[in-house]
Amino acid sequence: MDLDQIRTFDRIAQDLSFTKAAATLNVTQATVSMRMRALEELLGVTLFNRGRKVTLTDQGMSFLPYARRMLSAAQEAREALRRVERGRVSLGCLRSLILPLITEPLLRFQDSYPNVDVLVEEGNHRDLTAMLHDRLVELAIVVWPNLDPLMPDIEPLLVMREEAPLVVAPEIADKLGDSFDLADLLELVPRVISLGWWQVEPDAAVALARRAQTFVDIPAGPARRLAMRGVATGPFIRSSVAEDLDAGRLVAVAPRDFAPLYRDVALVALSGATLERPMIRDFAAEIARECGAVGTVLENRLAAS
């Protein structure tokens, strides 16, 4: 079975004519007939009812979607090979960091490499380690340290720490004043939001949820809306609410008896050998540059590479 046979079968199925298929494919009708006989012999079935009108047999109807998948897979493979010739870098990133951490590095990288294809996938920590394992991406930004037992050996190229302050609406912050306890905060805002920033919730975040009157686990977008309306509070990664904090729509608060929270993330690869490709190394360097603006860089092996 070869692609010419599959392509010819698909063309006949569309035109319901050997003659029209031959004209479209720019081959002789004898070639079309020969290809179909060979394919039918290989499959051991008759694919077309031949006569004054050509129709698909039941076997032909059953085979058609598989044939089209094969053609689609072949096209995708050709596109992938063309991308390799041009150059390609691929990155998986936590959803919460796509906008604050990847946008500007991507723009700078493409200024230097205008003809290189860039693939950025988003997901949670487990999604991203699976992408690395399956070689769907070459780099990933994941929560650190990595606790995924299926991927124990991924190598951190850079580790960044970002604050995760409690945030409230401005009117709540005004009522709290400069010095207050967690009980004072929860009296004003009894609903606490969990956003799943971590692989394992820190003890302070767990204790906060237990003390809350009500607890909600929702995505960051609606969570921000609840906080801005003054009906909820919770720890937000600073970059996820930076614009709201700057604009005064939200305020970061620090109860006296609440330990500050943070999240560590890492730019990782399956091995340091990934950086042997100059374009990958340069893309990673642009991300490292942005990490210094978004959070605090705790470790940077890229500086020594």
Side-chain angles (χ1 to χ4, degrees), residues 35-242:
R35 288 175 181 174
M36 285 306 92
R37 283 196 301 272
L39 182 59
E40 288 174 329
E41 287 175 8
L42 180 64
L43 296 173
V45 297
T46 300
L47 296 172
F48 293 104
N49 295 309
R50 295 159 171 84
R52 293 184 62 185
K53 292 181 64 176
V54 174
T55 60
L56 283 160
T57 63
D58 290 343
Q59 293 89 340
M61 289 290 291
S62 297
F63 182 62
L64 183 59
Y66 296 97
R68 287 177 173 167
R69 282 183 218 167
M70 284 186 265
L71 293 174
S72 177
Q75 180 62 29
E76 289 176 10
R78 283 193 292 269
E79 289 297 324
L81 292 173
R82 280 197 284 268
R83 286 196 296 269
V84 169
E85 290 176 358
R86 292 197 301 267
R88 178 179 181 270
V89 299
S90 55
L91 168 79
C93 184
L94 294 165
R95 292 187 181 95
S96 56
L97 287 173
I98 287 281
L99 185 60
L101 192 56
I102 301 304
T103 305
E104 294 302 319
L106 177 58
L107 292 173
R108 293 194 296 266
F109 176 78
Q110 292 197 311
D111 282 342
S112 300
Y113 293 89
N115 297 318
V116 171
D117 291 335
V118 180
L119 171 67
V120 178
E121 299 278 5
E122 65 175 10
N124 60 33
H125 179 89
R126 183 170 294 180
D127 295 333
L128 300 173
T129 55
M131 290 178 198
L132 271 176
H133 178 268
D134 295 337
R135 271 62 172 185
L136 299 177
V137 296
E138 298 153 294
L139 300 170
I141 297 172
V142 299
V143 181
W144 198 255
N146 170 48
L147 303 178
D148 189 338
L150 298 179
M151 288 291 292
D153 299 326
I154 55 178
E155 185 169 334
L157 307 175
L158 176 144
V159 179
M160 179 188 79
R161 173 164 293 177
E162 194 176 357
E163 296 176 344
L166 294 175
V167 301
V168 296
E171 60 269 24
I172 301 297
D174 290 341
K175 292 178 182 178
L176 288 169
D178 295 330
S179 181
F180 59 93
D181 293 330
L182 188 57
D184 301 320
L185 171 60
L186 294 177
E187 184 176 351
L188 291 174
V189 189
R191 182 181 290 113
V192 166
I193 304 163
S194 172
L195 289 143
W197 301 119
W198 301 274
Q199 294 177 77
V200 177
E201 291 279 325
D203 291 343
V206 173
L208 174 65
R210 286 176 178 167
R211 293 182 61 177
Q213 181 176 317
T214 56
F215 169 79
V216 291
D217 189 343
I218 56 176
R224 287 172 49 250
R225 296 288 296 275
L226 290 177
M228 284 189 279
R229 290 178 61 183
V231 297
T233 186
F236 281 74
I237 300 303
R238 183 170 288 276
S239 62
S240 71
V241 290

Side-chain angles (χ1 to χ4, degrees), residues 276-290:
E276 292 176 1
R277 291 176 56 205
M279 67 179 65
I280 293 287
R281 186 172 62 248
D282 290 348
F283 190 36
E286 291 294 351
I287 294 171
R289 176 179 164 188
E290 201 69 19

